[in-house]
Amino acid sequence: MVVPHHASGARLARHRLAAVLADEVPPALLADLVAVLAELVGNAVRHADPLPGGVVRVAWRLRPEGDGQHVLVRVTDGGAASAPRMRAAGLDAADGRGLHIVAGLASRWGVDRDGLGQSVWADFDPAEVGRVDLVAAG
């Protein structure tokens, strides 16, 4: 699907993904997918150029695997001067946490660049759904 290169694009993408996958994946996975997709679309709108027509392309693919669905979400935009990367965000910073959220919820994520722009993707492996990464307080 395509959404506007505008803040409303994330909302449209979230609603469409939730409607299409509601009966296909467990609720906890759907919540993670919606959160990650919103971050990726939001980042595309804030940090990258639009594709021709002022849009961002959003796609997802399901593949049955074991006892669940393997899901890949991909957001394609017109690219930016630098590739998306995680950055340190101070406690009072207003932004800088989005890709940390993506990395925490998805099994893995990455960026593909070509002559037309870039795609940021997040992969959800059913073997890892519901995992909790704990950081020991020291």
Side-chain angles (χ1 to χ4, degrees), residues 17 25-39 73 101-102 104-106 122 124 128-131:
L17 178 86
V25 299
L29 174 56
L30 185 59
D32 290 351
L33 291 167
V34 166
V36 166
L37 187 64
E39 283 296 332
V73 297
I101 293 169
V102 171
L105 295 176
F124 294 80
E128 297 181 25
V129 170
R131 76 189 188 331

Side-chain angles (χ1 to χ4, degrees), residues 51-129:
L51 290 167
V55 298
V56 174
R57 188 173 55 222
V58 176
W60 54 85
R61 181 177 55 207
L62 278 72
R63 186 177 74 235
E65 189 173 294
D67 291 335
Q69 292 280 3
H70 187 176
V71 184
L72 176 71
V73 297
R74 179 178 295 269
V75 173
T76 304
D77 55 50
S82 61
R85 60 178 174 75
M86 286 197 283
R87 54 190 170 124
L91 292 176
D92 294 328
D95 60 5
R97 294 174 186 82
L99 289 178
H100 291 279
I101 293 169
V102 171
L105 295 176
S107 302
R108 62 201 138 271
W109 71 278
V111 181
D112 297 327
R113 295 186 76 152
D114 62 24
L116 301 175
Q118 67 187 7
S119 294
V120 181
W121 53 267
D123 192 44
F124 294 80
D125 184 333
E128 297 181 25
V129 170

